Amino acid sequence: MGDLPSDWVGTPGAWLNFTLTNLTRSDLLTKGELIDKFGAANYAVFALMLCVSAGIGLYFWWKGQNNTEEFLMASRSMGTIPMTLSLVASFMSAITLLGTPAEMYVSGTQYIALAVSYPFVMGAAAHLFLPVFDALQVTTSYEYLELRFHKSVRVLAGACFTLQMVLYMAIVVYAPALALSQVTGFDLDIACAVIFIVCIFYTSIGGIKAVMWTDTFQALCMFGSFLAIIIKGNFDAGGSSVVFDKNYQSNRVELFNFEPDMRRRHTVW
């Protein structure tokens, strides 16, 4: 039967069945092998990403901020491209980058139906909410809540959001720190600290301009990485048709599942 892994939560018999099935991946690298493959070039790219992010913060600190509105709102002067890419980078957290491919690999492509709602949400935000905020010249939606209702409503909503972000950010930072720890061998706490320190550094000294331009840089790196992975993965697998066929044969390709059964993980509903 072989050695039973310490992190296996099933029975020894289930482990034996798992090792004998033809679905078992035999080409995956162990943590030690991943660390060995993460060479000087990889460390250089990682360090460059951190240095560029910190450098953007230093640049806008060196340029100076004339007032609080410029520091927090960039004097409402940012262009469409950095603003759009910043929103995309902020929306696509490490949970999205690591969790979504794993979810679709395990549970199938029905998850993509979630994207159908995006145009409606974006349209509502652009044409219903933002014009009101722009006309009132408010900085946040919480400021609007105070104008519309009462200061207590603003405080309550702000407190709920703060609590949510404290819990959310813990997972968002833990995910890339865990991935970094797997390929470098860094202590998990140190990896979390490095990510937090760099983000806090360029945000606190550079203001919203540094945040948006850093997000733009990171978004371009992400999209470039996505494209490289897709091209390399399809090439190694033998082409996109082979990739699709393998997923189709393993019942991962699923769309327009209208089953009302609430026990199903993903449906159109």
Side-chain angles (χ1 to χ4, degrees):
M1 183 179 297
D3 295 332
L4 192 67
S6 59
D7 57 349
W8 179 258
V9 296
T11 63
W15 169 251
L16 177 61
N17 292 334
F18 176 74
T19 56
L20 294 178
T21 179
N22 59 3
L23 297 178
T24 303
R25 295 286 300 274
S26 59
D27 57 336
L28 300 180
L29 301 178
T30 65
K31 182 177 180 179
E33 292 171 334
L34 285 173
I35 293 175
D36 292 337
K37 287 180 68 68
F38 201 84
N42 301 97
Y43 279 105
V45 172
F46 173 62
L48 181 63
M49 286 285 296
L50 297 179
C51 290
V52 170
S53 298
I56 293 174
L58 286 171
Y59 171 75
F60 285 103
W61 169 78
W62 174 74
K63 286 190 65 176
Q65 310 286 342
N66 295 323
N67 49 53
T68 303
E69 171 149 352
E70 184 176 0
F71 184 83
L72 296 177
M73 300 291 293
S75 299
R76 306 176 188 270
S77 62
M78 296 299 291
T80 302
I81 292 178
M83 181 175 60
T84 303
L85 290 178
S86 178
L87 289 172
V88 170
S90 300
F91 181 74
M92 296 179 63
S93 68
I95 300 175
T96 305
L97 297 181
L98 299 177
T100 301
E103 179 66 27
M104 295 188 70
Y105 179 83
V106 173
S107 303
T109 58
Q110 184 61 56
Y111 181 82
I112 202 173
L114 181 68
V116 175
S117 64
Y118 290 169
F120 299 99
V121 174
M122 292 185 291
H127 296 284
L128 297 179
F129 295 98
L130 291 181
V132 176
F133 296 158
D134 184 65
L136 295 175
Q137 291 292 293
V138 295
T139 305
T140 67
S141 57
Y142 308 104
E143 190 176 350
Y144 170 78
L145 291 176
E146 180 178 1
L147 295 174
R148 177 64 177 82
F149 300 103
H150 190 268
K151 185 176 182 179
S152 59
V153 178
R154 175 181 181 177
V155 172
L156 178 61
C160 292
F161 177 76
T162 301
L163 177 61
Q164 176 203 357
M165 290 306 296
V166 168
L167 301 175
Y168 172 74
M169 287 303 298
I171 303 299
V172 167
V173 173
Y174 179 79
L178 182 62
L180 185 63
S181 175
Q182 290 293 313
V183 297
T184 62
F186 286 172
D187 181 80
L188 193 57
D189 294 333
I190 295 177
C192 288
V194 169
I195 295 172
F196 269 122
I197 289 172
V198 172
C199 293
I200 292 173
F201 175 76
Y202 70 72
T203 300
S204 59
I205 69 172
I208 193 65
K209 287 184 179 179
V211 172
M212 295 180 71
W213 280 112
T214 302
D215 286 345
T216 300
F217 165 70
Q218 294 174 355
L220 292 175
C221 291
M222 283 193 299
F223 291 139
S225 300
F226 296 161
L227 186 61
I229 291 173
I230 292 172
I231 293 175
K232 183 68 166 61
N234 278 276
F235 178 80
D236 290 347
S240 57
S241 60
V242 176
V243 174
F244 180 85
D245 183 64
K246 287 184 176 180
N247 284 279
Y248 184 80
Q249 295 298 330
S250 58
N251 296 320
R252 289 191 177 92
V253 178
E254 181 185 25
L255 295 172
F256 310 113
N257 185 343
F258 290 93
E259 289 186 24
D261 189 351
M262 297 183 65
R263 295 171 297 178
R264 292 296 300 267
R265 186 173 180 85
H266 296 302
T267 66
V268 171
W269 311 116

